[in-house]
Amino acid sequence: MTHSSNTVQDNRISLLGLGPMGLALGGALLKQGHCLTVWNRTPDRADELVVQGAQRARTVAEAATASTITIVCLNDYTTIYRVLDRAAAELEGKVLVNLSSGAPSEARAALAWSAERGIDYLEGAIMVPPPLVGEPGAVILYSGDQGVFDRHRTTLAGLGDPRYLGADIGLAVLYNTALLEMMYATINGWLHASALLDSANVSAQKFAELALGWFMPTVVDYASLAEQAPDLDAADYPGDLGTLAMNLNALEHITRASEEQGVHSDHPRLMKELAERAVAEGHGSQNYFAIYELFKKASPRS
Ligand SMILES: NC(=O)c1ccc[n+]([C@@H]2O[C@H](COP(=O)([O-])OP(=O)(O)OC[C@H]3O[C@@H](n4cnc5c(N)ncnc54)[C@H](OP(=O)(O)O)[C@@H]3O)[C@@H](O)[C@H]2O)c1
């Protein structure tokens, strides 16, 4: 379904939700010269944007009526439906861009909800904190109908580099969760390793010189991980430079050292158990990346 056209009316944008992220989106849209209408459950949160030139809508329906594009940035999908149910008629034939976080199944349900009401729906995922919205380097991921995305790309670019991922509506939030998983796993690795050194009274600041200044960029080296990505796609894990069985030894040492030093040992133990399972499944003579074959399957207890 593709109702909207790229007309001068697209300069009008409505924004529902003025938490920290909604306020940042509103500020960036005003800076871009858009005619912005805002609505928030707690109306006072709009005060600063109103001073900067935004119109305050008294109702969700009033906000949806004011523009051809409505951006929604609320805490969750339950709230989104609670809010949008009051303006479904006003949104008909227009574009709804959801920049609230969720799961792929929620994005699919929201697409179906929108389609039933004649609304063009795009799903987005904001990959930066509020102060970086609209700034160089900000990226926002989108998925859904490419025609709708293309027509509004210029408008969306004011919030951050808009990266279109595909027609599958769940892709934006799936990328979002995958990237956040990488962030948490990396940060947890650094924090747990620092705790190990802290047990010998080595400060995180001192450890950072070696760990973050040399080890991560040289030995983990993201460019080299990217070079090896095709091997994951081809399930090609030659073990000639080191095997998963050898890496299991290292993971046993990390788990034991954590226990001996009196620091939390669940994190290395989980990595050790995963490597044990991969070895049990016959990947012991391949390299460590063969653990990817385990990750691609649902875990036994789920
Ligand atoms: N902040 C970040 O760093 C960040 C980064 C990336 C993505 N995001 C995503 O952006 C979305 C918004 O985040 P946020 O940081 O702005 O704060 P948030 O706490 O997730 O959402 C606050 C917004 O939700 C509204 N709200 C909550 N319950 C409501 C209800 N029952 N009825 C109506 N409105 C309700 C709040 O209204 P009131 O003002 O009236 O309470 C406010 O507008 C979230 O999905 C978040 O995951 C945030």
Side-chain angles (χ1 to χ4, degrees):
M1 191 180 355
T2 52
H3 299 97
S4 52
S5 58
N6 202 3
T7 66
V8 70
Q9 241 204 325
D10 283 351
N11 189 39
R12 299 190 211 169
I13 298 188
S14 294
L15 174 63
L16 309 175
L18 299 176
M21 187 50 88
L23 286 172
L25 295 170
L29 290 166
L30 286 171
K31 264 194 210 154
Q32 299 292 317
H34 287 288
C35 178
L36 180 68
T37 301
V38 292
W39 173 88
N40 195 53
R41 175 182 63 172
T42 310
D44 296 357
R45 296 250 161 89
D47 288 355
E48 206 182 307
L49 293 177
V50 169
V51 169
Q52 292 169 43
Q55 302 295 313
R56 189 191 330 251
R58 282 165 304 158
T59 63
V60 182
E62 193 181 308
T65 302
S67 313
T68 50
I69 311 179
T70 294
I71 295 176
V72 60
C73 188
L74 292 162
N75 61 321
D76 63 21
Y77 280 76
T78 306
T79 302
I80 290 173
Y81 292 119
R82 190 177 293 149
V83 167
L84 293 182
D85 270 334
R86 301 176 213 162
E90 288 77 8
L91 287 168
E92 188 178 353
K94 296 181 176 177
V95 175
L96 178 64
V97 182
N98 177 33
L99 296 181
S100 323
S101 307
S105 60
E106 292 178 305
R108 283 191 283 276
L111 175 66
W113 183 94
S114 301
E116 279 166 21
R117 289 159 182 78
I119 302 164
D120 285 335
Y121 183 78
L122 275 183
E123 181 79 22
I126 303 167
M127 296 313 305
V128 290
L132 295 187
V133 169
E135 298 295 320
V139 166
I140 302 191
L141 309 175
Y142 293 94
S143 52
D145 186 292
Q146 179 151 20
V148 177
F149 173 79
D150 287 344
R151 269 189 297 288
H152 299 287
R153 177 194 283 270
T154 311
T155 302
L156 299 173
L159 301 173
D161 181 9
R163 304 273 180 96
Y164 178 72
L165 303 171
D168 176 349
I169 197 73
L171 277 176
V173 291
L174 192 60
Y175 267 72
N176 173 260
T177 49
L179 292 170
L180 291 180
E181 187 202 348
M182 279 185 65
M183 178 184 82
Y184 288 117
T186 308
I187 291 175
N188 278 356
W190 153 242
L191 295 176
H192 186 270
S194 299
L196 256 179
L197 269 295
D198 176 73
S199 71
N201 297 319
V202 178
S203 72
Q205 190 179 358
K206 174 153 181 57
F207 182 47
E209 282 171 35
L210 193 69
L212 304 179
W214 167 76
F215 183 76
M216 289 299 282
T218 308
V219 179
V220 179
D221 180 15
Y222 291 155
S224 133
L225 288 183
E227 271 168 30
Q228 294 173 80
D231 296 344
L232 300 185
D233 295 328
D236 183 21
Y237 315 109
D240 43 337
L241 294 181
T243 62
L244 210 160
M246 178 278 290
N247 279 277
L248 176 55
N249 268 340
L251 289 164
E252 277 165 356
H253 298 156
I254 301 167
T255 308
R256 191 145 38 87
S258 300
E259 289 163 355
E260 286 171 8
Q261 294 296 114
V263 303
H264 210 280
S265 57
D266 284 3
H267 192 255
R269 187 175 303 107
L270 174 63
M271 294 191 286
K272 176 179 82 79
E273 286 170 2
L274 289 168
E276 280 169 349
R277 213 172 303 151
V279 169
E281 289 188 12
H283 299 292
S285 61
Q286 297 177 313
N287 72 42
Y288 185 77
F289 285 14
I291 213 161
Y292 184 51
E293 296 302 310
L294 207 72
F295 286 151
K296 284 192 284 185
K297 295 182 285 195
S299 56
R301 60 184 169 277
S302 67

